Amino acid sequence: SQQGEEDPQALSIQEGENATMNCSYKTSINNLQWYRQNSGRGLVHLILIRSNEREKHSGRLRVTLDTSKKSSSLLITASRAADTASYFCATEEKGGSEKLVFGKGTKLTVNP
Amino acid sequence: NAGVTQTPKFQVLKTGQSMTLQCAQDMNHNSMYWYRQDPGMGLRLIYYSASEGTTDKGEVPNGYNVSRLNKREFSLRLESAAPSQTSVYFCASTLTGVREYFGAGTRLSVL
């Protein structure tokens, strides 16, 4: 069964606004990763946050992790039309065999 | 540096036909993975290989077989394709505990 569950399933915003996507998971993890997928393409890694980290930044991306609530959020600031894509969280379970379990994704549309 | 290369990019099969999806990576990664992605769904793991010579089942292995030919190559075989296997298939590879690198995908239709 899939571990990560993103919320919302779809998000539509205007250029320049911030976009926040959330991910919940069920078991203890080693790390949580966020990926982006443009329509018809493969997934591209955005950012990885380890279980002992609470926040991480990369450019316009900010990821938070709350292991007590088993949840993570991805914030994209000052969004651009080019940010339009689906975003997936993926978790590597603690004690697992390096497998990632993906959520169903959030489809983000940034309107120009 | 090509990364992860999948072939073919597109394939149409008739029910009952067989085919092999090929995947190769040139990053000297130990672990390789096959996923399928269906509309509105995330990726579901079919099989993975943590090292050369080892393979393990993922979440949805039924109807598939895999072969880790060497460190670079990991193939996925459909012995008798079924319409339920219509999907987009992704291969990925990784070093231990870090990001996965994905191929561009194979769009498979089974009629």
Side-chain angles (χ1 to χ4, degrees):
Chain A
S1 62
Q2 298 209 342
Q3 162 133 277
E5 292 290 338
E6 290 91 342
D7 169 58
Q9 291 185 352
L11 180 62
S12 182
I13 59 174
Q14 296 300 122
E15 228 173 7
E17 294 181 339
N18 296 340
T20 299
M21 289 158 268
N22 302 297
C23 171
S24 60
Y25 58 92
K26 295 176 183 172
T27 65
S28 296
I29 61 172
N30 287 329
N31 64 68
L32 185 145
Q33 304 179 32
W34 285 91
Y35 288 80
R36 165 193 170 128
Q37 183 181 35
N38 286 63
S39 181
R41 309 292 293 272
L43 275 72
V44 175
H45 182 265
L46 293 176
I47 197 164
L48 179 154
I49 186 165
R50 302 194 187 281
S51 59
N52 61 352
E53 298 175 310
R54 291 297 166 256
E55 188 170 313
K56 206 160 182 182
H57 296 256
S58 177
R60 293 184 296 112
L61 304 180
R62 173 177 167 252
V63 170
T64 62
L65 179 64
D66 186 335
T67 53
S68 67
K69 295 181 179 178
K70 292 186 169 56
S71 67
S72 172
S73 67
L74 171 67
L75 169 67
I76 304 174
T77 60
S79 62
R80 306 165 182 168
D83 293 328
T84 294
S86 291
Y87 293 81
F88 296 89
C89 69
T91 51
E92 181 184 308
E93 292 181 21
K94 187 168 286 188
S97 50
E98 302 171 18
K99 297 181 293 182
L100 288 182
V101 180
F102 285 82
K104 295 181 180 180
T106 292
K107 188 168 185 178
L108 173 66
T109 302
V110 181
N111 301 299
Chain B
N1 191 342
V4 179
T5 304
Q6 288 183 237
T7 55
K9 286 186 167 49
F10 301 94
Q11 184 72 50
V12 178
L13 294 177
K14 294 181 180 177
T15 297
Q17 287 185 318
S18 63
M19 78 161 296
T20 300
L21 281 65
Q22 307 285 354
C23 176
Q25 52 90 8
D26 61 2
M27 296 172 283
N28 202 34
H29 287 169
N30 293 322
S31 301
M32 297 185 73
Y33 309 82
W34 276 105
Y35 295 90
R36 62 177 287 174
Q37 184 178 33
D38 300 293
M41 301 285 287
L43 274 70
R44 291 184 292 169
L45 183 64
I46 304 171
Y47 271 94
Y48 67 103
S49 170
S51 62
E52 185 180 350
T54 67
T55 60
D56 287 285
K57 294 178 181 179
E59 183 184 353
V60 287
N62 291 345
Y64 306 95
N65 286 301
V66 290
S67 179
R68 183 75 182 267
L69 304 169
N70 47 55
K71 194 170 187 180
R72 288 188 65 248
E73 298 171 292
F74 188 37
S75 62
L76 178 72
R77 182 160 178 83
L78 287 70
E79 290 290 353
S80 179
S84 61
Q85 294 177 305
T86 293
S87 189
V88 182
Y89 291 85
F90 289 99
C91 176
S93 70
T94 186
L95 286 173
T96 302
V98 293
R99 56 176 287 188
E100 288 188 11
Y101 290 79
F102 283 81
T106 296
R107 292 184 177 276
L108 175 67
S109 292
V110 183
L111 306 177

